[in-house]
Amino acid sequence: MFKKILIANRGEIALRILRACRDLRIPAVVAYSDVDHDSLPVRLADEAVCIGPAPAARSYNNIPAVISAALVTGCDAIHPGYGFLAENAYLAEICQQVGLTFIGPPPDVIEKMGNKAEARKVMKAAGVPLLPGTQGIVPTLTHARQAAREIGYPVVIKAVAGGGGRGMRVATNDAELTRGYPVAQSEAESAFGNGDVYMERYLQRPRHVEVQVIGDQHGNVVAIGERDCSLQRRHQKVVEEAPAPHLSDKVRQNLLKTAEKGARAANYWSAGTLEFLLDTDGHFYFMEMNTRIQVEHPITEEVTSLDLVAWQIRVAAGERLTIHPEQLKPRGHSIECRITAEDAANEFRPSVGTVETYVAPGGPGVRMDSHLFSGYSIPPNYDSLLGKVITWGSTREQAVARMERALRETVLTGVTHTIPFHREILADAAFQRGEVHTGFIPELMSRLGTRLKDAAEEDAMPQRLPIGR
Ligand code: MV4
């Protein structure tokens, strides 16, 4: 096992990794930027080391700074968390060269899955179902028109270096394709430094269902379980749940077996996720693979009792997976609400400031993964995630009821946040029936109209705040 781990991340995930290190009795060093000096993970860590100023390019994304921080503090492994350098093949490569272990898959696997057209090829060869689409990249508009004829409209143009929906362009006819193709290319070039694009048939209102996998360095790969992540706004997940509602046992078993086969074909080890689109007939299609621990991993932990971050560390150290099939039958249901510092009533404008009062929810079936504390000042330099409210119930209904309870009892003042928005989602009749799809949030937003403003005001009313003032 590792002697000491460098946590090259911040916020709730730095804290989550630190907790896994504690459970494994591994000392941990938190690498932080200037503005995170007083953060909770830094305060709780065994050691902390500053890696640069606030801009991520000069700290959390600065490979030489991260490598040096690990070496000078005597670490033998780096956990990158999610975001920042988590899917950076160069970091994984340099780690190998200087004798550090990158807690993630090998660089060649990161690179292959990072190219979405290459990932499609690997999955196709393995017999994983894909939407009709191009074999590789689409080099010219002429090729794009030809491909659209073969695929059939509507089509979507995606960046090979993209992922998560950034730089996506939908075309429903030749005219839209002609206009959209160069835009997709130049957006891909400026966003990812790689203008290569590929094409797929576009599916209307699909569900986003992803499969958590984990593999060791001895050839064992298991699909742990699926998550429904259909509730997204501008490609940002808002609510996730496990298991996926209204999925037949047959489709679920097939999905998990298929994901396992895909991960094996990619020579995968470590924790990873295969994303699929699910249509209304229960057909699923591979979209992309993420080679990191994901934000929403806790809901899979809640229904399996596995510690995915601890397993990710253990397999990186060379341990064998010893997960029994019995542990893979999901027990009950889990939901996660991502609380962000945004104003849902005003186009989700980012909100910054200092947390005045924070009281975390608790009680049976409630887990709060957050780095907040009363008096914490939120730096404006990074993403707006404040924490994740995660509930577990023996049924979906119980997990929903517990989420409503947890959201009601959370006290968070001083910054505008999305708890009122989450309460509207939870109160929605279609959501309560488990009728989720990727059009849900946009449709809810238009139904809500000005209701969000009222909900935000109500939330701020002092008589609802038992603590503070
Ligand atoms: C798609 C799609 C429909 N057809 N691909 C890709 C990444 C994801 N974040 C957005 N992506 C989509 N890819 C094809 N061929 C629809 C989406 C999509 C979506 C997917 C999951 C969750 C929310 C979404 C919202 C809009 C579009």
Side-chain angles (χ1 to χ4, degrees):
M1 188 39 80
F2 302 119
K3 287 201 320 278
K4 205 196 265 186
I5 293 174
L6 184 86
I7 301 172
N9 214 303
R10 63 179 305 283
E12 72 85 19
I13 194 64
L15 188 54
R16 172 69 189 89
I17 298 162
L18 179 62
R19 286 169 170 158
C21 291
R22 288 271 151 80
D23 289 356
L24 293 167
R25 302 187 187 285
I26 304 167
V29 182
V30 168
Y32 66 93
S33 77
D34 285 341
V35 287
D36 283 333
H37 179 267
D38 298 323
S39 69
L40 192 57
V42 169
R43 290 189 197 188
L44 292 180
D46 299 286
E47 289 173 62
V49 55
C50 184
I51 51 168
R58 299 183 58 197
S59 50
Y60 297 107
N61 282 331
N62 182 342
I63 294 176
V66 167
I67 293 279
S68 313
L71 294 176
V72 302
T73 54
C75 290
D76 50 0
I78 297 179
H79 198 307
Y82 54 68
F84 299 123
L85 299 171
E87 294 177 274
N88 190 300
Y90 299 111
L91 175 63
E93 175 82 45
I94 293 163
C95 280
Q96 276 183 354
Q97 285 175 15
V98 301
L100 290 166
T101 300
F102 176 81
I103 302 177
D108 60 304
V109 175
I110 299 176
E111 190 164 302
K112 194 115 187 164
M113 294 300 117
N115 182 311
K116 306 304 166 186
E118 288 298 312
R120 264 179 76 86
K121 287 183 193 167
V122 171
M123 296 305 158
K124 185 172 182 159
V128 174
L130 304 173
L131 282 161
T134 55
Q135 277 284 6
I137 65 165
V138 184
T140 68
L141 177 60
T142 312
H143 288 86
R145 283 166 162 281
Q146 178 57 34
R149 262 191 294 281
E150 285 163 22
I151 296 167
Y153 285 109
V155 298
V156 55
I157 311 162
K158 294 181 176 183
V160 301
R166 290 186 304 161
M168 255 177 54
R169 265 278 172 308
V170 179
T172 56
N173 55 50
D174 275 8
E176 285 180 11
L177 183 67
T178 304
R179 265 185 286 123
Y181 176 82
V183 180
Q185 257 188 337
S186 65
E187 276 181 4
E189 179 63 50
S190 56
F192 314 111
N194 178 355
D196 291 348
V197 296
Y198 66 105
M199 280 165 61
E200 281 177 354
R201 160 75 63 73
Y202 183 70
L203 211 57
Q204 310 276 1
R205 293 209 331 169
R207 285 170 65 183
H208 170 131
V209 179
E210 61 184 29
V211 179
Q212 176 72 57
V213 297
I214 188 155
D216 65 19
Q217 299 182 55
H218 310 277
N220 303 300
V221 181
V222 280
I224 304 285
E226 87 287 2
R227 300 183 280 256
D228 187 301
C229 306
S230 297
L231 299 200
Q232 305 191 10
R233 184 188 165 271
R234 305 230 172 128
H235 306 303
Q236 295 294 318
K237 292 169 186 165
V238 177
V239 178
E240 307 95 347
E241 58 182 297
H246 304 299
L247 203 64
S248 74
D249 256 6
K250 188 167 143 255
V251 173
R252 180 171 186 276
Q253 288 314 322
N254 188 8
L255 174 68
L256 265 54
K257 280 295 142 208
T258 301
E260 212 168 274
K261 189 168 70 176
R264 256 197 208 101
N267 292 319
Y268 203 80
W269 65 261
S270 187
T273 301
L274 291 93
E275 296 186 352
F276 295 86
L277 290 178
L278 185 75
D279 70 16
T280 43
D281 301 326
H283 301 122
F284 55 81
Y285 308 94
F286 171 80
M287 244 195 330
E288 54 194 66
M289 181 165 191
N290 302 319
T291 59
R292 60 172 188 273
I293 191 80
Q294 301 210 165
V295 177
E296 61 273 23
H297 77 275
I299 56 176
T300 303
E301 298 188 321
E302 294 303 310
V303 296
T304 59
S305 306
L306 294 169
D307 183 330
L308 292 172
V309 179
W311 270 114
Q312 187 189 24
I313 294 169
R314 291 172 65 179
V315 296
E319 283 190 26
R320 273 175 195 279
L321 277 178
T322 52
I323 296 172
H324 298 284
E326 197 43 34
Q327 272 172 286
L328 298 178
K329 277 209 315 229
R331 207 183 130 255
H333 202 94
S334 184
I335 302 174
E336 173 178 282
C337 288
R338 293 191 188 187
I339 312 306
T340 55
E342 294 175 306
D343 185 357
N346 288 293
E347 290 83 45
F348 289 81
R349 193 165 37 74
S351 122
V352 286
T354 297
V355 174
E356 184 190 34
T357 305
Y358 169 62
V359 182
V366 176
R367 164 176 172 184
M368 183 74 173
D369 277 19
S370 174
H371 58 298
L372 293 187
F373 56 87
S374 297
Y376 174 60
S377 118
I378 299 163
N381 314 78
Y382 312 107
D383 80 0
S384 59
L385 188 66
L386 296 175
K388 309 177 306 200
V389 184
I390 300 133
T391 62
W392 180 87
S394 54
T395 62
R396 185 175 187 276
E397 292 64 37
Q398 192 181 39
V400 170
R402 285 173 166 177
M403 183 59 79
E404 294 186 304
R405 156 164 66 85
L407 294 173
R408 270 174 67 172
E409 75 182 53
T410 305
V411 180
L412 178 46
T413 65
V415 289
T416 307
H417 55 76
T418 52
I419 289 179
F421 179 55
H422 279 98
R423 293 180 67 187
E424 294 291 343
I425 296 171
L426 270 284
D428 183 86
F431 176 80
Q432 295 201 348
R433 290 192 298 268
E435 291 165 10
V436 291
H437 55 82
T438 53
F440 183 93
I441 296 283
E443 289 166 21
L444 177 72
M445 298 290 295
S446 46
R447 269 205 308 285
L448 284 179
T450 58
R451 278 264 299 288
L452 272 173
K453 287 199 164 70
D454 305 342
E457 273 161 31
E458 201 175 300
D459 190 75
M461 291 210 281
Q463 64 266 34
R464 276 207 54 256
L465 302 178
I467 295 165
R469 284 193 261 235

